[in-house]
Amino acid sequence: SQLIASLSPGADTVIVTEYVITQADLDAGKVDNTASAAFGNDVLIADETVTATQNFEFSITKVATPQTYSTVGEVISYDITVTNDGNVTLEGISVTDPLTDLSQLIASLSPGADTVIVTEYVITQADLDAGKVDNTASAAFGNDVLTADETVTAIQNFEFSITKVATPQTYSTVGEVISYDITVTNDGNVTLEGISVTDPLTDLSQLIASLSPGADTVIVTEYVITQADLDAGKVDNTASAAFGNDVLTADETVTATQNFEFSITKVATPQTYSTVGEVISYDITVTNDGNVTLEGILVTDPLTDLSQLIASLSPGADTVIVTEYVITQADLDAGKVDNT
């Protein structure tokens, strides 16, 4: 408010005045200013408008804590920061994060200021299996939509094991059935898909389609004992489980209860003699009374000069060897012939 004391015709006076811009002026986009000059009853006015160069600029960032995960139920915390990088107060910024079901409105954000929104996500088995969690948050103001991406990686543990238990643990008869319980366990934190289980002894070849962490699958397979198994004294069996390039094995040995039992009998024909030169025929029978094939049974009879090897004799089988002796005068005088 200033008084011009005197102003000659044709003359003018310049008055300089100043105004300091406020945040409200930037937000309004202009400053309207009206000056007036009054002389007597006459009042004249002059208007002037100064426009703002408005910058509606903002940004969004997102940081996850922690940066890795290894367990179902772990909580990932996301700090979403929205910053006003312009010179105008922004009103009504919509922030969303579909992964965490976040939908929040920032009512007002001054230039240079920021707002941090914290949202959380709980890790699932699917996230461990996928190996990562990708998350995108967005901030929208007017027609402008900005996004911020963050990826958290999984520490995957593809660990599994295989065990095998035989029932019974011993055998003694051909035809006995040995049952093997093969257990494959997922000891890691990732669902395993396509585990191949094989057991050549029992002709087992089976695929476990899917095995969750901490779970196991029991596969039962059987083997029938043969004579060769009794003769060998044991059955060694190895099963394997393969996933990717990893192959694990489980060994199990079942032992035989071997019975090396045999017997020998001898029958003479005829049972009496009366003449020098008579021939006594001896039927010597060797029987395998055990459960193991006997190899190399030596049969001797000194009286008849017999010495014969039975190469192999199966359980329950017998071999008859015939040998002969010619009666002498001494045998007649003695009255008997003893033969062992």
Side-chain angles (χ1 to χ4, degrees):
S1 177
Q2 184 172 333
L3 182 68
I4 302 174
S6 177
L7 189 62
S8 301
D12 59 44
T13 295
V14 178
I15 300 172
V16 177
T17 185
E18 293 180 344
Y19 176 73
V20 179
I21 295 297
T22 66
Q23 185 59 53
D25 299 324
L26 281 166
D27 295 343
K30 64 179 180 176
V31 174
D32 292 323
N33 189 11
T34 300
S36 63
F39 178 75
N41 292 325
D42 294 326
V43 179
L44 302 177
I45 59 174
D47 297 322
E48 181 77 355
T49 296
V50 180
T51 57
T53 302
Q54 292 178 309
N55 179 13
F56 295 90
E57 187 176 347
F58 64 103
S59 59
I60 180 174
T61 61
K62 181 166 56 176
V63 177
T65 305
Q67 287 288 306
T68 61
Y69 59 92
S70 60
T71 309
V72 171
E74 276 192 70
V75 176
I76 306 298
S77 178
Y78 294 98
D79 288 356
I80 300 172
T81 303
V82 179
T83 304
N84 187 341
D85 303 306
N87 62 358
V88 181
T89 299
L90 303 179
E91 296 183 353
I93 302 174
S94 175
V95 181
T96 58
D97 188 332
L99 182 71
T100 64
D101 294 326
L102 172 70
S103 180
Q104 185 169 327
L105 187 70
I106 301 174
S108 181
L109 192 61
S110 302
D114 59 49
T115 294
V116 179
I117 300 172
V118 179
T119 185
E120 294 181 341
Y121 176 72
V122 180
I123 294 297
T124 66
Q125 185 59 54
D127 299 322
L128 279 165
D129 296 342
K132 63 177 182 176
V133 173
D134 293 322
N135 188 11
T136 299
S138 62
F141 176 77
N143 293 323
D144 295 326
V145 179
L146 301 180
T147 60
D149 300 322
E150 181 79 346
T151 296
V152 181
T153 56
I155 299 175
Q156 293 177 309
N157 179 13
F158 296 90
E159 187 174 348
F160 63 104
S161 59
I162 180 174
T163 61
K164 181 166 57 175
V165 177
T167 304
Q169 286 287 305
T170 61
Y171 58 92
S172 60
T173 310
V174 171
E176 275 192 72
V177 176
I178 307 297
S179 178
Y180 294 97
D181 287 357
I182 300 171
T183 303
V184 179
T185 304
N186 186 341
D187 303 306
N189 63 357
V190 181
T191 300
L192 304 179
E193 296 183 352
I195 302 174
S196 175
V197 182
T198 57
D199 188 333
L201 182 71
T202 64
D203 292 327
L204 172 71
S205 180
Q206 185 168 329
L207 187 71
I208 301 175
S210 182
L211 192 61
S212 301
D216 59 48
T217 294
V218 179
I219 300 172
V220 180
T221 187
E222 295 179 341
Y223 177 71
V224 180
I225 294 298
T226 66
Q227 185 58 54
D229 299 322
L230 279 165
D231 295 343
K234 64 177 181 176
V235 173
D236 293 322
N237 187 12
T238 300
S240 63
F243 176 77
N245 294 322
D246 295 326
V247 179
L248 302 180
T249 59
D251 300 321
E252 182 78 345
T253 296
V254 181
T255 56
T257 302
Q258 293 177 309
N259 180 14
F260 295 91
E261 187 175 346
F262 63 104
S263 59
I264 182 173
T265 61
K266 181 164 61 174
V267 177
T269 303
Q271 286 290 305
T272 62
Y273 58 92
S274 59
T275 309
V276 173
E278 273 190 74
V279 176
I280 307 297
S281 178
Y282 294 98
D283 288 354
I284 301 172
T285 303
V286 179
T287 303
N288 185 342
D289 302 307
N291 63 358
V292 181
T293 299
L294 303 178
E295 296 182 354
I297 302 174
L298 180 63
V299 182
T300 59
D301 188 335
L303 182 69
T304 64
D305 292 328
L306 172 70
S307 179
Q308 184 169 328
L309 187 69
I310 301 174
S312 181
L313 191 61
S314 301
D318 58 46
T319 294
V320 179
I321 300 172
V322 179
T323 186
E324 294 178 341
Y325 177 70
V326 179
I327 296 297
T328 65
Q329 185 60 52
D331 298 324
L332 281 167
D333 296 344
K336 64 177 181 177
V337 174
D338 293 323
N339 187 10
T340 300

